[in-house]
Amino acid sequence: MILHLPVSEATLQKFQESEPAQVIETLTIHELAACIVISKLPAITAPNKTRVVEQALAQLISEANQIGLREFRAQLSGAITRRDLNAGKAYLRDSIQLMSQEEVAKRNFLYKSGEYRWNHQVQASGRKANIYLAARTDRGTYLSDDQDRILNQIMSDPDESVDVQGYAGTGKTRLVAKLTELLDKGNVLLLAMTYPQLLGLTSRIPNQSNITGKTFGNLADEILESNLLDPTRRVGDRKRRKFSLSFPELARQMGYRSLGKLSPQQVAEVVNKTVNAFCYTQDTQILERHIPKYVLPKIQGMQTVIVQMAEELWETITGARVGPELPIKGYHRIKRLALLRERIPRRYTHIIMDESHDLPAPVIEILERSPQAVITLGDRYQARMMTGNTQRRSPNIRSRTMNHSLRAGDNASDLYNGIIQHHPVTPQARFIGSEEKSTEITYYDSFRVPDKYCAILAPSCWHILSVMQLLAVNQSAFNVLPGALGDLKWLVEDAIAFYRYRIRPSHRDLQNFASWEDYVQKQTDPVVMKVHKLFEAGYEEKHFQETLSKAGSSDPAKSYMLGRIDDARNLEFDRVMIIRSSDPIQNNDRHHLAETINRLYTGISRAKKELIVPGYLKDWLTDQAANSKR
């Protein structure tokens, strides 16, 4: 393999005729990177010298692109000398040569993004060798340029924390897998906020004895319950998902009465939401700003009373106050852990936290307080919570970016960038699709099941039920994503019992409505009325179970995969169809716009080869582009 460095003999001669500092100011990023590499050739003694040199060249170009040509030139002032260049030129051999001026000017060695295009012998396999990693592992390992650059930066100081923000499909999970291989001497704790996220992460990481995977809620339970002297830290069945109360029941158990214009049920709802808001902040006590804004006109002059009631509810939930047994959720436990100023046990040497874009403030607080090196990976445009409850890590933490996709083709870049450029949070870098792949994009106006098997991602469980019934009637094979299956069963079974037998539901979407009819009347999504008509036609739980029994009986590669967009996080599919949401995109509502774009971006970024999206998205992007030109 012959490596041609992107600098000419004529350019190197300039260093002999003029001051190096003056020459540096006239050169491009790739020419400067080549000069640095040449000056270091005498120090490179590895047997695979050509690969090591090419890796160094690619990394220099990538890092220079991050900081810009001006800063790169400034950093190289005094770093390139005539003596070093002359010494390095003596090491140019048959396997490492210079380019001609014409070859340098053509820039065929660069992608459109400015990143280095690896030698065609390596490119033919679609991968490149990571020399640092190969020296530390028993088998050959291959990483993308982004992964390679960030891995080397992390491992150069593995005891320092770092935050990696990478677009969907750039290989963050694969980066985690390689990190766990390198951190084989330590005890690594893999964390995620939900079990589906954790499963998606651990399923792609080799089984290693030094790796422990937990949800943050489970970790909070473990730390809290390790103190055997405090009985309030052990909550038993109260933390089970189905241990829940409706607002009327909460009002009854807490003895709430009407307050101003609020009924007892409304008081319970407001007090509960005030406690919930508190749990997602760094505040150490419940304050008036935690009260939902929508209710303030109805409680003028009574905010202090609401705060006091919220404090009593919080103390009852956590066991600090004697009262009825109330459900305790993961966010309650995490907030209590933060208030107790607990840390993650020292037996873990490194913490890797995935999906860091969705971390509530108390989680960040616990991570920052803990003694270990904490490596967080996320994508701000996949965040679920856009209400100010999430928090970025300390500005003192090293921060790195990944923007080159390994999943989507370059032809999808315009769609990705077209969506995220209208996000309230300005992108730090453009999304760059893979030039070696292609993602076909199709728009539709009316929903119909695609002819080819694909993942069908829906806004809600009701859409999943609707599509599932359609597939069952057509005798088409289908599966339901694990993250959706439990919630789908809970919702549909509760809804049927609510409609048919008037049994009070425990599902969060239904529990605060007086009746099934009351629920249907207050919904805006037409799919709910379709489900209602299905129930009116005699649909019972046995019919649902019969349909559900057909799920999972086929090869996933030869079946339709059903789920919500949130259920597909950390997953990828050859073909993806996005079902249109009934909610319009509201450009004048910052939070709603952010949540809508995040949901769309998360959905489309699951696709590798084919993407089927609602036609309104194309119209919206066209309108946005037109408005931006005015």
Side-chain angles (χ1 to χ4, degrees):
M1 181 181 74
I2 299 176
L3 171 63
H4 290 88
L5 298 176
V7 65
S8 67
E9 179 63 43
T11 298
L12 294 183
Q13 184 60 32
K14 292 179 181 179
F15 283 91
Q16 308 302 321
E17 301 168 353
S18 305
E19 287 298 318
Q22 295 177 347
V23 180
I24 287 173
E25 290 300 315
T26 68
L27 301 187
T28 62
I29 283 177
H30 50 270
E31 288 174 320
L32 291 170
C35 289
I36 287 291
V37 166
I38 291 171
S39 66
K40 301 298 182 183
L41 284 177
I44 301 175
T45 59
N48 47 0
K49 189 169 186 173
T50 304
R51 286 283 183 90
V52 172
V53 170
E54 188 171 26
Q55 181 189 20
L57 177 68
Q59 186 167 336
L60 279 169
I61 291 174
S62 179
E63 292 180 353
N65 284 331
Q66 294 279 332
I67 64 175
L69 177 58
R70 192 174 190 178
E71 178 64 22
F72 191 44
R73 285 171 174 168
Q75 290 187 11
L76 294 185
S77 178
I80 301 176
T81 66
R82 294 192 186 101
R83 186 181 67 178
D84 289 344
L85 281 175
N86 290 334
K89 285 174 64 177
Y91 283 80
L92 293 174
R93 299 287 188 268
D94 292 339
S95 60
I96 303 177
Q97 302 177 9
L98 301 179
M99 289 186 184
S100 67
Q101 283 185 297
E102 293 77 13
E103 289 172 326
V104 174
K106 288 180 180 177
R107 300 192 177 201
N108 290 335
F109 49 88
L110 296 178
Y111 288 114
K112 292 178 183 178
S113 63
E115 295 295 311
Y116 179 71
R117 186 191 296 270
W118 281 77
N119 189 285
H120 69 276
Q121 283 94 336
V122 179
Q123 227 178 311
S125 67
R127 305 178 298 180
K128 76 179 184 66
N130 183 304
I131 303 306
Y132 180 84
L133 202 60
R136 292 285 308 275
T137 56
D138 295 332
R139 58 184 183 278
T141 306
Y142 300 90
L143 297 176
S144 71
D145 292 344
D146 278 348
Q147 292 167 332
D148 179 62
R149 170 175 52 84
I150 291 174
L151 178 71
N152 280 282
Q153 290 169 347
I154 291 175
M155 294 309 299
S156 66
D157 197 350
D159 293 329
E160 287 294 320
S161 296
V162 64
D163 178 55
V164 178
Q165 290 294 316
Y167 288 127
T170 53
K172 297 186 293 295
T173 302
R174 192 177 182 197
L175 179 65
V176 171
K178 301 311 172 189
L179 275 171
T180 58
E181 289 184 32
L182 288 180
L183 298 172
D184 55 350
K185 304 299 183 188
N187 189 8
V188 181
L189 176 61
L190 290 180
L191 290 173
M193 289 304 295
T194 68
Y195 181 73
Q197 289 175 359
L198 182 64
L199 185 62
L201 183 63
T202 56
S203 64
R204 285 183 276 180
I205 292 178
N207 187 22
Q208 295 172 236
S209 59
N210 69 314
I211 306 296
T212 302
K214 293 180 182 293
T215 65
F216 210 97
N218 287 341
L219 177 67
D221 286 339
E222 176 187 296
I223 297 173
L224 287 171
E225 295 180 6
S226 64
N227 185 337
L228 302 180
L229 300 178
D230 185 354
T232 67
R233 292 186 176 217
R234 294 181 294 282
V235 297
D237 288 342
R238 291 200 296 131
K239 62 185 177 184
R240 291 178 57 210
R241 186 177 68 166
K242 288 198 174 185
F243 192 102
S244 61
L245 291 179
S246 65
F247 292 137
E249 183 63 19
L250 177 61
R252 188 188 67 79
Q253 292 208 26
M254 292 297 294
Y256 295 152
R257 297 182 179 181
S258 296
L259 183 65
K261 297 180 181 180
L262 302 180
S263 67
Q265 174 180 333
Q266 292 172 322
V267 171
E269 180 178 358
V270 170
V271 172
N272 186 66
K273 288 184 176 180
T274 302
V275 171
N276 291 355
F278 163 67
C279 288
Y280 283 93
T281 68
Q282 281 187 306
D283 297 326
T284 57
Q285 59 183 0
I286 298 175
L287 304 169
E288 288 186 11
R289 65 168 170 262
H290 301 137
I291 300 173
K293 291 182 180 179
Y294 74 84
V295 79
L296 292 179
K298 297 182 180 181
I299 59 168
Q300 287 299 321
M302 293 180 285
Q303 291 94 323
T304 303
V305 177
I306 292 291
V307 169
Q308 291 174 347
M309 296 173 75
E311 289 173 345
E312 291 174 359
L313 178 60
W314 168 250
E315 291 173 356
T316 305
I317 290 172
T318 57
R321 177 188 179 91
V322 177
E325 284 205 341
L326 301 178
I328 185 166
K329 306 299 182 183
Y331 53 83
H332 294 137
R333 305 278 276 164
I334 292 170
K335 180 61 178 177
R336 189 174 186 207
L337 193 70
L339 291 174
L340 290 170
R341 301 195 61 78
E342 293 276 12
R343 300 181 179 188
I344 296 175
R346 288 183 176 273
R347 64 176 178 273
Y348 300 112
T349 58
H350 293 83
I351 299 167
I352 300 177
M353 183 95 201
D354 197 18
E355 307 283 338
S356 66
H357 45 264
D358 272 330
L359 299 187
V363 171
I364 293 288
E365 184 182 344
I366 296 166
L367 291 175
E368 301 287 290
R369 185 189 303 136
S370 297
Q372 303 88 346
V374 179
I375 301 167
T376 48
L377 302 98
D379 178 358
R380 295 187 182 97
Y381 301 104
Q382 292 191 67
R384 290 183 177 92
M385 299 183 293
M386 293 302 299
T387 57
N389 291 329
T390 54
Q391 180 179 322
R392 296 187 182 184
R393 297 193 64 187
S394 165
N396 298 324
I397 300 294
R398 290 184 296 172
S399 178
R400 299 293 181 265
T401 302
M402 300 171 69
N403 66 323
H404 292 78
S405 178
L406 305 177
R407 180 185 301 157
D410 184 49
N411 58 314
S413 296
D414 287 345
L415 176 61
Y416 278 69
N417 290 310
I419 291 175
I420 62 177
Q421 72 178 353
H422 300 298
H423 197 284
V425 178
T426 304
Q428 292 183 328
R430 282 183 59 81
F431 175 92
I432 300 173
S434 172
E435 291 190 352
E436 300 171 2
K437 296 180 180 180
S438 177
T439 304
E440 179 184 348
I441 301 173
T442 305
Y443 296 91
Y444 72 90
D445 293 322
S446 300
F447 173 81
R448 72 176 186 86
V449 176
D451 295 332
K452 296 180 180 179
Y453 293 123
C454 66
I456 301 178
L457 302 182
S460 71
C461 280
W462 295 129
H463 289 86
I464 297 175
L465 176 63
S466 179
V467 176
M468 193 170 73
Q469 290 300 128
L470 184 59
L471 293 174
V473 170
N474 294 336
Q475 297 185 336
S476 299
F478 68 90
N479 285 274
V480 180
L481 291 174
L485 186 58
D487 204 34
L488 175 69
K489 292 172 65 176
W490 183 12
L491 175 64
V492 175
E493 290 170 5
D494 265 19
I496 292 173
F498 199 20
Y499 167 78
R500 196 160 299 282
Y501 308 111
R502 307 296 178 185
I503 296 176
R504 292 297 311 170
S506 61
H507 193 279
R508 60 189 175 278
D509 290 352
L510 304 173
Q511 64 180 3
N512 294 309
F513 292 90
S515 64
W516 168 256
E517 289 74 18
D518 178 41
Y519 170 76
V520 173
Q521 185 179 5
K522 293 177 180 176
Q523 303 308 302
T524 58
D525 195 328
V527 74
V528 177
M529 182 54 69
K530 289 177 65 175
V531 172
H532 178 62
K533 291 180 178 179
L534 186 67
F535 289 179
E536 285 184 325
Y539 193 79
E540 297 183 8
E541 185 175 338
K542 64 180 181 181
H543 301 120
F544 173 64
Q545 297 297 344
E546 181 181 350
T547 302
L548 201 59
S549 67
K550 298 175 183 178
S553 58
S554 305
D555 180 355
K558 297 179 180 179
S559 63
Y560 294 96
M561 189 66 72
L562 308 182
R564 296 162 299 191
I565 289 175
D566 276 352
D567 303 317
R569 292 171 185 268
N570 282 329
L571 300 177
E572 61 182 18
F573 310 92
D574 283 345
R575 285 175 290 277
V576 171
M577 180 182 199
I578 306 295
I579 295 181
R580 177 173 184 166
S581 170
S582 62
D583 293 334
I585 300 177
Q586 300 176 15
N587 294 336
N588 58 346
D589 185 330
R590 178 182 173 89
H591 288 158
H592 185 275
L593 179 62
E595 290 172 352
T596 301
I597 289 177
N598 287 4
R599 187 166 55 249
L600 284 170
Y601 165 81
T602 303
I604 68 172
S605 61
R606 303 304 97 200
K608 293 191 292 184
K609 297 179 180 179
E610 184 177 358
L611 176 62
I612 307 169
V613 291
Y616 84 94
L617 179 57
K618 186 176 184 180
D619 297 336
W620 178 74
L621 290 173
T622 301
D623 292 342
Q624 293 297 106
N627 292 336
S628 64
K629 293 179 181 178
R630 293 174 183 172

